[in-house]
Amino acid sequence: MNDTNQELKFFWVVALRPEANALIQKFNLKSFSNHLNFPIYINRKNGHALVISGVGSIKSAVATMYLNNTFKPGQFVAWINIGIAGHFQGPVGTLFQAIKVVNNDNGKSFFPGLRFSKLAEPAELCTVSSPENEFTLPVLYDMEAAGFCEIAPSLSCNELTFVMKIVSDTSEHSQSLVTKKMIADLFKKNSSIIDNLLQAIVKIVDRERARLEDSIEMDGIMGSLHFTETNRLRFRKIYKKWWCLFPNESLVDRAQKASSAKDLMQSMELDIASEAQSWKLK
Amino acid sequence: MIETVFVESQIIDHPITERVLSRLPNADVLNINRYQEMFNKRQQNFRLQKEKPALILAKKHDNFVLPAPPGFGMGSQKNFYFSHMYNCIYDCRYCFLQGMYSSANYLLFVNFEDFFRSISETIQNNAGSSLTFFSGYDCDSLAFEKITTFAEHTLRFFKRHPEVEFELRTKSVNIKPLLDLEPISNCVVAFSLSPESVADVLDKKAPRVKRRIRAIKELTKSGWFIGLRLDPLIFCENWRGLYSELIEDIMTDLEIRNLHSVSFGPLRYPKKMYNTIAALYPEEKLFAFPMQTTGQLVSYGPEIENEMANYIQDELKKYLGTDRIFQCLI
């Protein structure tokens, strides 16, 4: 993975500028780029990156891919689509975690994210291609989530793809009453819930990162010895086993003395084999 | 605790669906069209999903009963298995289900009646052969009983078919539903077991071995036939001592006449499955062992496998005849 991206953990995809502004302010994000009508904001210190997609499912999908291609993060980061949504019931201001997202155009369903039942109410969400005012179904309505869900799970995994929606309009509270200030207030009102959700999410991200990411030592060794592509894959596997058995030992000295990558891998395999007869399960 | 239940619209009124939902009054219930929308999809993360599995209630449409793989069985001429559920509430680290599905959600097929119809047909089509039906290959047969009542239904069914044998495989100690019934002579309750210290590390979320042994003894005392499944055999420091102790603990004070069979089998995976599971749990020492790959199979290798098999067999022979000892070789 590119060194410069190591600290980015949360990748936000939002449709509207006022939604983005709330997060830009909250996470102290700075402008990173503004190409292709997809402005990107980041803060490497607290790990947030955000893209403004514009309205619509396709734009949301494209912006998600664009944000990914800009930073090429690992498969352990969290992808979050947050924004305002209509709801059949409300009340306005409630933050829901969408655990089922249906694309109203083609009927395709998505089931994003690990559920955080103690932090946010779950809901079904219907992504529509034009603003919904009827609220015929007992669900949330938005215009982006299905596009986001089409792409984001393939960049990380389904369980690290989250859709959060704050109710802005209901059959009682018309969409025409939604203003920039109201959106800012809705986000402010849910600020602590968002913080709590992020605390829960970052624990998963860190665990997945530890599982998936190459260690600095592994990276260093692969940089200092010549590995064929096949040996690189083999080394990763052997290293993970070796590290599992000898978590407090370092390979750096041995790698420096090794005549070749093959030589190093053989010595590691011998280490592992020597443990086999008295194998401990923990 | 199950927080979310997804229900296929077509079985929302099925009596088993209604029963399951009544047992989970606090769960959120969402409708789906078909379970394939959400089960075993690419990009799902089994390990993360296992932290909080949802329950999916669905209808199975075909392949209700399947032939058991060669090498699997306890002496019958023909062996079949059926799976009313995919995935398990336990989290045993060696379990092949971790590599079988990308999804850890529990998938329960509520149309038990179709399973029973298909089993009846299989019995009819194989008249004249001795048959055994196995349940608990893709799930634990008893662990979910309070919610599903699967075992109760299934035992009642097989009671009407004394001409065939039925094995209900489990690690659960929830034996009350069995103790409430009269023992059924053609039904075997088979418990999977490992030495206590092995299970303490690997059988996550499963009842402790001493509780399983207690349940086994209680069942045999009440007249149930039980099976012991030492499967997979786990190689570790002092494995001989650990397995001897396990076997001794089980056999002491056991109603041996009600011990139907003991089987044991090696730890083996298809290569792809092994790689998937090892990648899910790189910190597990079980997967750091220098396993041998032969063709598409990953195992401890013939030397360890044979040594363990011979030793276990010798230990078992101290308590029962070879006619009740089976080596499982899949």
Side-chain angles (χ1 to χ4, degrees):
Chain A
M1 200 180 87
N2 186 333
D3 281 350
T4 56
N5 303 325
Q6 277 185 13
E7 66 274 33
L8 293 175
K9 294 179 177 180
F10 307 100
F11 286 72
W12 300 85
V13 179
V14 297
L16 306 172
R17 168 62 70 176
E19 296 166 338
N21 283 344
L23 297 172
I24 289 166
Q25 202 176 345
K26 179 174 173 62
F27 300 122
N28 195 22
L29 308 182
K30 305 291 179 211
S31 175
F32 177 83
S33 65
N34 190 4
H35 307 302
L36 302 173
N37 284 332
F38 292 133
I40 289 176
Y41 294 81
I42 66 166
N43 183 342
R44 290 192 189 281
K45 286 182 186 156
N46 57 19
H48 293 269
L50 177 149
V51 65
I52 305 176
S53 66
V55 174
S57 189
I58 291 172
K59 281 186 182 173
S60 185
V62 175
T64 304
M65 187 56 90
Y66 179 68
L67 186 61
N68 178 71
N69 289 349
T70 302
F71 296 105
K72 296 188 172 56
Q75 287 189 307
F76 46 80
V77 303
W79 287 87
I80 308 169
N81 172 231
I82 193 168
I84 57 169
H87 192 250
F88 79 110
Q89 195 172 34
V92 169
T94 310
L95 186 148
F96 285 98
Q97 178 182 7
I99 57 172
K100 178 182 178 185
V101 174
V102 180
N103 185 332
N104 195 52
D105 287 347
N106 59 19
K108 194 169 175 184
S109 300
F110 306 90
F111 301 87
L114 274 191
R115 184 181 160 182
F116 298 116
S117 54
K118 288 178 183 154
L119 303 176
E121 281 288 306
E124 183 173 338
L125 184 152
C126 182
T127 297
V128 291
S129 49
S130 57
E132 174 70 31
N133 298 309
E134 300 295 320
F135 304 113
T136 48
L137 298 171
V139 298
L140 288 160
Y141 287 90
D142 89 332
M143 295 177 69
E144 289 81 30
F148 168 78
C149 288
E150 189 79 59
I151 299 297
S154 63
L155 307 175
S156 181
C157 67
N158 188 62
E159 283 59 46
L160 282 169
T161 300
F162 300 96
V163 177
M164 313 286 181
K165 297 289 165 179
I166 304 172
V167 178
S168 58
D169 47 292
T170 65
S171 50
E172 307 282 296
H173 187 275
S174 163
Q175 201 172 60
S176 62
L177 300 173
V178 179
T179 62
K180 288 179 188 175
K181 181 174 181 314
M182 182 188 166
I183 293 173
D185 289 344
L186 291 176
F187 272 76
K188 201 171 281 178
K189 184 191 165 201
N190 284 289
S191 184
S192 62
I193 296 177
I194 294 170
D195 287 339
N196 292 338
L197 286 165
L198 292 181
Q199 274 178 29
I201 291 170
V202 79
K203 285 181 190 162
I204 309 170
V205 168
D206 288 344
R207 280 207 307 275
E208 276 297 278
R209 183 178 192 160
R211 180 173 78 86
L212 293 170
E213 198 174 44
D214 288 350
S215 72
I216 294 169
E217 183 180 70
M218 199 198 303
D219 267 349
I221 292 169
M222 285 197 287
S224 66
L225 284 168
H226 173 69
F227 284 85
T228 62
E229 204 46 48
T230 308
N231 276 343
R232 197 171 275 270
L233 291 173
R234 203 175 137 224
F235 177 68
R236 277 202 179 92
K237 276 189 182 171
I238 298 171
Y239 181 90
K240 285 189 174 172
K241 289 186 176 192
W242 188 90
W243 182 85
C244 182
L245 296 178
F246 311 105
N248 300 319
E249 292 183 29
S250 168
L251 267 183
V252 175
D253 285 348
R254 206 190 306 183
Q256 280 168 356
K257 288 174 193 158
S259 59
S260 65
K262 205 173 157 190
D263 180 37
L264 176 65
M265 287 190 288
Q266 272 174 356
S267 78
M268 292 164 73
E269 283 179 325
L270 282 174
D271 284 351
I272 296 169
S274 71
E275 292 289 302
Q277 278 311 312
S278 56
W279 198 257
K280 292 176 178 59
L281 289 167
K282 67 174 178 183
Chain B
M1 194 184 70
I2 292 167
E3 295 180 344
T4 317
V5 185
F6 294 94
V7 185
E8 282 187 352
S9 304
Q10 62 179 324
I11 48 96
I12 193 80
D13 297 324
H14 192 283
I16 298 295
T17 304
E18 287 175 352
R19 184 196 155 85
V20 169
L21 295 180
S22 74
R23 289 294 170 122
L24 299 167
N26 298 320
D28 291 301
V29 180
L30 280 84
N31 281 9
I32 53 173
N33 291 325
R34 292 292 297 272
Y35 73 87
Q36 290 92 338
E37 287 172 37
M38 63 178 308
F39 186 80
N40 211 25
K41 300 283 282 185
R42 289 174 95 181
Q43 305 306 332
Q44 290 187 328
N45 183 318
F46 184 97
R47 183 172 176 159
L48 293 182
Q49 213 173 79
K50 188 76 186 172
E51 291 183 13
K52 213 177 273 188
L55 173 63
I56 306 166
L57 302 181
K59 179 177 179 177
K60 193 165 173 66
H61 293 267
D62 51 18
N63 297 324
F64 296 102
V65 179
L66 296 166
F72 191 89
M74 310 295 150
S76 283
Q77 288 167 322
K78 292 183 180 175
N79 299 291
F80 298 91
Y81 76 98
F82 59 98
S83 298
H84 72 295
M85 185 167 164
Y86 296 163
N87 281 327
C88 179
I89 62 169
Y90 305 136
D91 191 15
C92 301
R93 196 48 69 241
Y94 46 76
C95 182
F96 74 95
L97 290 170
Q98 303 166 116
M100 182 95 140
Y101 306 120
S102 63
S103 185
N105 287 333
Y106 312 132
L107 172 57
L108 174 70
F109 297 113
V110 299
N111 51 327
F112 298 167
E113 66 279 7
D114 291 324
F115 283 91
F116 299 147
R117 193 178 309 127
S118 183
I119 294 167
S120 295
E121 284 167 13
T122 307
I123 293 170
Q124 278 173 17
N125 294 341
N126 291 280
S129 298
S130 60
L131 309 183
T132 301
F133 291 86
F134 293 87
S135 161
Y137 191 67
D138 294 313
C139 66
D140 186 291
S141 297
L142 201 54
F144 234 44
E145 184 64 8
K146 282 180 186 161
I147 294 173
T148 66
T149 62
F150 162 79
E152 184 196 319
H153 281 82
T154 310
L155 290 167
R156 212 183 295 145
F157 171 84
F158 278 102
K159 192 176 182 178
R160 297 196 302 272
H161 291 279
E163 71 276 27
V164 300
E165 202 164 67
F166 168 57
E167 175 178 313
L168 184 97
R169 191 173 288 197
T170 188
K171 284 188 178 119
S172 173
V173 294
N174 170 34
I175 56 170
K176 189 168 180 305
L178 301 175
L179 294 174
D180 288 345
L181 294 171
E182 280 292 307
I184 303 167
S185 59
N186 60 321
C187 293
V188 178
V189 186
F191 284 82
S192 302
L193 296 147
S194 300
E196 185 91 52
S197 61
V198 172
D200 283 350
V201 178
L202 299 178
D203 291 9
K204 296 168 200 292
K205 300 183 189 170
R208 294 201 68 185
V209 169
K210 64 175 71 159
R211 294 184 64 211
R212 284 182 240 171
I213 293 175
R214 210 179 301 145
I216 287 167
K217 291 179 182 175
E218 212 173 327
L219 282 171
T220 52
K221 280 201 178 97
S222 70
W224 282 92
F225 281 105
I226 61 113
L228 304 175
R229 305 292 170 247
L230 311 180
D231 188 355
L233 295 176
I234 302 293
F235 181 83
C236 61
E237 188 177 37
N238 188 31
W239 63 266
R240 288 182 191 80
L242 295 175
Y243 275 99
S244 296
E245 196 180 317
L246 171 68
I247 292 167
E248 190 186 336
D249 284 349
I250 299 167
M251 298 300 180
T252 307
D253 297 330
L254 182 75
E255 299 280 348
I256 295 277
R257 67 174 183 280
N258 283 347
L259 176 55
H260 170 272
S261 56
V262 185
S263 69
F264 57 90
L267 181 74
R268 286 179 180 178
Y269 299 96
K271 190 176 165 186
K272 196 175 164 205
M273 183 183 277
Y274 176 81
N275 288 338
T276 302
I277 301 174
L280 278 174
Y281 301 97
E283 74 282 12
E284 282 288 343
K285 284 198 173 174
L286 181 69
F287 303 117
F289 191 87
M291 304 290 275
Q292 291 185 23
T293 305
T294 311
Q296 288 303 307
L297 199 70
V298 176
S299 70
Y300 286 132
E303 197 181 322
I304 290 177
E305 279 187 358
N306 292 336
E307 194 184 352
M308 293 189 84
N310 291 336
Y311 184 83
I312 299 295
Q313 202 149 18
D314 288 345
E315 285 299 293
L316 290 170
K317 279 186 208 161
K318 291 178 186 170
Y319 303 92
L320 68 165
T322 50
D323 58 327
R324 283 192 277 178
I325 302 173
F326 298 89
Q327 185 171 8
C328 179
L329 281 171
I330 57 164

